Amino acid sequence: MEKVFRNYEVLDVNAAVREHYRKMRQNQTVDYVQKMHKKYLTFDKPMLLWEAMSHLNSLIDVSDPDLDLPNVQHLIQSAEAIRADGRPDWMQLVGLIHDLGKVMFLWGADEDGTSQAEQWGMVGDVFVVGCALPDSCVYPEFNALNPDMQNDRYNTSIGIYEQGCGMDNLLLAWGHDEYLFQVLSNHQNNTLPEEAMAMIRYHSFYPWHTGGSYSELLNDKDQKYLEWIRDFNRYDLYTKSNKTYDLEEIKDYYLPIAEKYLGSGPIFW
Ligand SMILES: [Fe+2]
Ligand SMILES: [Fe+2]
């Protein structure tokens, strides 16, 4: 039987996934996201890329109904699929590092949802805060639990934004995508192309890239983003399998690509 991905109906995986999304919807507000930016975007913790990769050996993403392997395996599987398709080296690197923002759990906290035990501020499909939650969110029945939906500034389709302001001006739910994007934006030796940075920043933004929501807030540039992210998303989604790799064994191939685009020194987290 062909494997069905992102099926949230199967029972027990899914009590945990459902609970994750309930907490995420309940806690991710404008106020919370602003606090997390302040708290986590300090860029004062140096760590080599490969060391960060190895830490994802001990993290399993609770929001992913398709995968119960350490996250680093998902990263390698994505990269290897992009490589097998003969796609550019920078895109292979994006496959390898796109979820690396999850290292946040090393300095995370249960109350922020950024720990091994509480991941609602770190993983899962993201949405825009500061405007109405669309029905295209997974488990839309939880939208009403978000306290911002009681606030008239935040509960309209435009909310705090301007029509057509573009995705780069939206505040998204806090998580590993935005974290890695900001860390790499701050990284002096970063020469990754614009496409790569967009794939990193928006790959979990399902209500937009798959749900088609937020059209009033988008601009022309976002159409280009959509093509890039859909291209990348196939590798994020359909490469999940039980085949496992050893991080050391793929290092000879990927480390030179990482150094080409990110230098060989530490990244400041
Ligand atoms: Fe991700
Ligand atoms: Fe991923």
Side-chain angles (χ1 to χ4, degrees), residues 106-137:
L106 294 175
W107 37 82
D110 288 352
E111 66 269 23
D112 296 339
T114 55
S115 65
Q116 177 102 244
E118 295 289 344
Q119 299 184 14
W120 51 263
M122 192 163 64
V123 304
D125 301 0
V126 298
F127 47 85
V128 183
V129 297
C131 67
L133 284 156
D135 287 341
S136 58
C137 288

Side-chain angles (χ1 to χ4, degrees), residues 66-136:
D66 303 319
L67 200 68
D68 47 14
L69 291 171
N71 208 245
V72 73
Q73 295 297 333
H74 161 60
L75 291 178
I76 301 170
Q77 289 170 0
S78 304
E80 287 286 274
I82 296 168
R83 176 185 176 187
D85 276 359
R87 307 301 300 272
D89 60 353
W90 60 262
M91 192 171 170
Q92 298 173 30
L93 180 61
V94 170
L96 191 72
I97 68 172
H98 72 277
D99 282 342
L100 205 53
K102 295 176 190 174
V103 288
M104 199 186 337
F105 84 98
L106 294 175
W107 37 82
D110 288 352
E111 66 269 23
D112 296 339
T114 55
S115 65
Q116 177 102 244
E118 295 289 344
Q119 299 184 14
W120 51 263
M122 192 163 64
V123 304
D125 301 0
V126 298
F127 47 85
V128 183
V129 297
C131 67
L133 284 156
D135 287 341
S136 58

Side-chain angles (χ1 to χ4, degrees), residues 34-101:
Q34 285 169 341
K35 279 188 184 140
M36 295 303 105
H37 279 228
K38 232 178 167 166
K39 181 167 178 181
Y40 289 94
L41 300 178
T42 50
F43 314 125
D44 56 358
K45 295 175 280 296
M47 188 186 287
L48 291 170
L49 182 97
W50 217 261
E51 192 193 336
M53 292 288 297
S54 72
H55 284 297
L56 289 197
N57 252 322
S58 49
L59 185 76
I60 292 174
D61 183 333
V62 291
S63 74
D64 191 337
D66 303 319
L67 200 68
D68 47 14
L69 291 171
N71 208 245
V72 73
Q73 295 297 333
H74 161 60
L75 291 178
I76 301 170
Q77 289 170 0
S78 304
E80 287 286 274
I82 296 168
R83 176 185 176 187
D85 276 359
R87 307 301 300 272
D89 60 353
W90 60 262
M91 192 171 170
Q92 298 173 30
L93 180 61
V94 170
L96 191 72
I97 68 172
H98 72 277
D99 282 342
L100 205 53

Side-chain angles (χ1 to χ4, degrees), residues 213-226:
S213 298
Y214 301 113
S215 54
E216 289 165 88
L217 300 173
L218 304 177
N219 63 19
D220 290 346
K221 190 177 176 194
D222 298 333
Q223 194 49 42
K224 217 169 45 172
Y225 280 0
L226 188 60

Side-chain angles (χ1 to χ4, degrees), residues 165-170 181 194 201-202 219 221-222 225:
C165 63
M167 283 211 329
D168 290 341
N169 293 306
L170 302 176
F181 171 80
E194 198 190 357
R201 191 175 199 180
Y202 297 120
N219 63 19
K221 190 177 176 194
D222 298 333
Y225 280 0

